[in-house]
Amino acid sequence: METINTEMKKEGMYDNVLRQYNQAADIIDLHSGIRKILVNTNNEIVVHFPVKLDDGTIEVFTGYRVQHNNALGPYKGGLRYHSTVDIDAARALAMWMTWKTSLVGLPYGGGKGGIQINPNNYSIAELERITRRFTYALGDNIGPDLDIPAPDVNTNSTIMAWIADTYSSIKSPSVRQKNLHVVTGKPVGSGGLEGRDRATGFGVVTSIKKWAKNAGKDLNGMTFTVQGFGNVGYWASHFLVQEGAKLIAVQDASATLVNTQGINPEELLDHSKGNSGNIQGFSDGTELDSELFFGIECDIIIPAALGNQITSSNCHEIKAKVIAEGANGPINVDAERAILEKGIEIIPDILCNSGGVIGSYYEWLQNKRSENWKLETVLDMIEDKLGIAFDKVAEVSKQYGVSWRVGAYIVALQRLELTYKERGVFP
Ligand code: GLU
């Protein structure tokens, strides 16, 4: 049985983003025409494509790419390979990308997509054929100045390299080299950015550091728990342990592990690498009933898995000081209200996990300029950009007397509103 709730996720992700949006739009009295534009998605691409499996049989897969809005620049956002991917999930996630890129001041709009599969059911060779055929099916609906995918749940740099290779292979020879930046999150040897692998987790910890500073608290000695031990969960743990905090529980789809003495994220990563990516069976932790995870006594919770994990059914157990949303949409609107009433703070996803897309922006720029940047330079740039957004959110939330999530939406929506007001609507 999966310990991370995949059932609850879909119900509500789209509803959730709309409720968040409407709440902020009401507060700033967002222009009614612009409000109508932003509540809709620009384009919704659904493709069905056949792939030959290793045993010679043919399977038909369904892939999605929702392009929510491109007022500020090309559509930008990840591709996820998960059984929960459907049109509503892609819509919700695409909208969150529009708010995120606007909030952190990137020249991008928002998009998201993926394939409804459990990648564990396929061999590497099959995943490569599925990815390449999906890219082919998307054709010119993506492009370096149109819509730029990136990694998300269950996709990684290898998958991005296959997409870049397939996309440029179907172009004419004279323009092939110009298309490297059709995706970000590529391996460093293939035009990828040093540090893009850790950018999201690094950004999560940058946000937590800003929160601690704001609250006059010291991270040294604080305890934290992480849900999801993929790219975001691992790197966030890695950087937070460097600040002197102690990782006391981790939950993934295979198990919930606890060790109040502290779990070493590097050892847990080694274990999971040799165990099909699962944390189950790690010797330095005890298994706990999955339902008890969010009630574990700790200072910081980092949900870094799927959406809608914290709902009315489990939010009352939470005892942490702050929840840092590494995942997109991990807390639903009702649960959020109850959590804030208890005085627990929430660093909202569109701010907290924006390090990933900020890293993607630098990779895209690096490719456009044919440059190569050093890891330290990249991490400094991510910290700066995220820090500016954090300060703006803190200031606007105070000014309007609202939560950080609403404050973040206000910053994002005001930037979009200004653009539409300046440019008008064609014709
Ligand atoms: N999938 C990540 C997100 O949700 C990164 C998107 C990107 O880099 O384009 O923000």
Side-chain angles (χ1 to χ4, degrees):
M1 195 197 79
E2 292 214 335
T3 58
I4 291 184
N5 190 337
T6 52
E7 266 327 292
M8 265 177 350
K9 70 80 239 172
K10 294 200 281 213
E11 271 25 85
M13 269 220 304
Y14 188 41
D15 178 53
N16 220 28
V17 68
L18 290 179
R19 284 173 73 184
Q20 293 171 349
Y21 166 70
N22 283 319
Q23 190 188 356
D26 282 344
I27 291 172
I28 56 168
D29 195 19
L30 182 67
H31 179 283
S32 62
I34 298 166
R35 191 167 170 151
K36 269 188 232 162
I37 295 172
L38 292 175
V39 84
N40 285 290
T41 57
N42 284 1
N43 305 304
E44 300 186 343
I45 301 142
V46 182
V47 292
H48 304 287
F49 53 95
V51 176
K52 208 185 281 175
L53 301 183
D54 290 346
D55 66 2
T57 59
I58 288 171
E59 202 170 310
V60 175
F61 295 86
T62 303
Y64 301 86
R65 186 69 182 172
V66 170
Q67 299 171 332
H68 171 240
N69 187 276
N70 63 348
L72 299 173
Y75 303 105
K76 185 83 191 83
L79 290 174
R80 65 172 61 175
Y81 287 1
H82 199 270
S83 54
T84 59
V85 172
D86 65 8
I87 194 70
D88 274 350
R91 281 179 184 141
L93 292 159
M95 279 191 182
W96 275 316
M97 285 311 302
T98 303
W99 317 145
K100 196 183 300 184
T101 51
S102 176
L103 168 65
V104 296
L106 299 178
Y108 289 138
K112 195 73 135 217
I115 311 176
Q116 195 183 74
I117 47 166
N118 177 354
N120 296 331
N121 296 343
Y122 300 93
S123 69
I124 296 288
E126 285 170 334
L127 282 176
E128 177 170 354
R129 289 197 294 279
I130 293 168
T131 301
R132 288 184 181 276
R133 192 63 203 240
F134 178 41
T135 310
Y136 180 76
L138 287 173
D140 277 334
N141 289 299
I142 58 170
D145 295 303
L146 171 65
D147 183 354
I148 308 132
D152 199 87
V153 174
N154 289 340
T155 54
N156 55 25
S157 59
T158 305
I159 291 177
M160 297 307 118
W162 293 332
I163 296 176
D165 183 63
T166 309
Y167 183 85
S168 33
S169 297
I170 56 182
K171 297 278 162 225
S172 76
S174 63
V175 294
R176 260 175 216 162
Q177 298 306 325
K178 283 194 200 154
N179 288 291
L180 205 54
H181 52 309
V182 62
V183 280
T184 55
K186 300 177 290 292
V188 173
S190 304
L193 180 81
E194 290 281 359
R196 176 61 186 85
D197 54 352
R198 64 208 73 185
T200 311
F202 176 77
V204 168
V205 175
T206 301
S207 308
I208 295 172
K209 279 160 71 179
K210 295 283 291 182
W211 161 80
K213 201 164 170 219
N214 234 25
K217 292 184 178 15
D218 189 358
L219 289 176
N220 194 11
M222 279 203 186
T223 53
F224 70 103
T225 64
V226 174
Q227 188 195 40
F229 205 67
N231 176 276
V232 182
Y234 161 68
W235 281 110
S237 305
H238 168 92
F239 287 112
L240 200 49
V241 163
Q242 282 186 357
E243 296 301 315
K246 193 162 46 159
L247 173 62
I248 58 162
V250 182
Q251 176 174 74
D252 76 355
S254 70
T256 302
L257 295 177
V258 186
N259 181 349
T260 50
Q261 297 307 303
I263 293 170
N264 181 326
E266 317 308 322
E267 287 171 11
L268 184 58
L269 181 71
D270 275 350
H271 167 84
S272 79
K273 274 186 180 161
N275 191 32
S276 318
N278 292 323
I279 62 166
Q280 193 175 38
F282 181 59
S283 55
D284 204 19
T286 343
E287 273 212 37
L288 185 77
D289 182 353
S290 65
E291 318 262 283
L292 302 175
F293 177 73
F294 285 111
I296 293 171
E297 194 101 36
C298 64
D299 297 304
I300 304 162
I301 298 176
I302 307 177
L306 297 169
N308 268 357
Q309 297 301 305
I310 302 177
T311 63
S312 308
S313 63
N314 59 6
C315 67
H316 300 285
E317 299 146 25
I318 294 175
K319 299 172 193 80
K321 295 186 176 69
V322 67
I323 305 174
E325 295 185 329
N328 291 308
I331 305 177
N332 79 8
V333 172
D334 297 327
E336 170 153 30
R337 195 173 309 124
I339 290 166
L340 294 175
E341 272 167 19
K342 291 210 302 187
I344 298 167
E345 292 179 282
I346 297 172
I347 312 174
D349 46 9
I350 58 173
L351 174 65
C352 189
N353 70 35
S354 64
V357 72
I358 297 174
S360 279
Y361 167 61
Y362 290 121
E363 177 171 332
W364 185 73
L365 273 190
Q366 181 188 264
N367 293 158
K368 274 164 101 78
R369 297 180 186 172
S370 302
E371 289 180 0
N372 279 308
W373 300 337
K374 283 203 289 230
L375 178 64
E376 301 72 46
T377 315
V378 169
L379 295 182
D380 282 352
M381 291 191 300
I382 295 174
E383 194 165 14
D384 279 356
K385 229 184 198 355
L386 207 154
I388 292 168
F390 193 102
D391 292 342
K392 220 182 281 173
V393 169
E395 185 193 312
V396 168
S397 310
K398 209 173 185 180
Q399 184 191 336
Y400 283 83
V402 293
S403 68
W404 282 352
R405 178 164 345 261
V406 177
Y409 267 72
I410 291 176
V411 176
L413 294 180
Q414 284 179 334
R415 183 171 170 224
L416 283 153
E417 185 178 41
L418 179 67
T419 300
Y420 275 108
K421 282 190 171 161
E422 284 171 351
R423 292 202 314 219
V425 171
F426 172 82

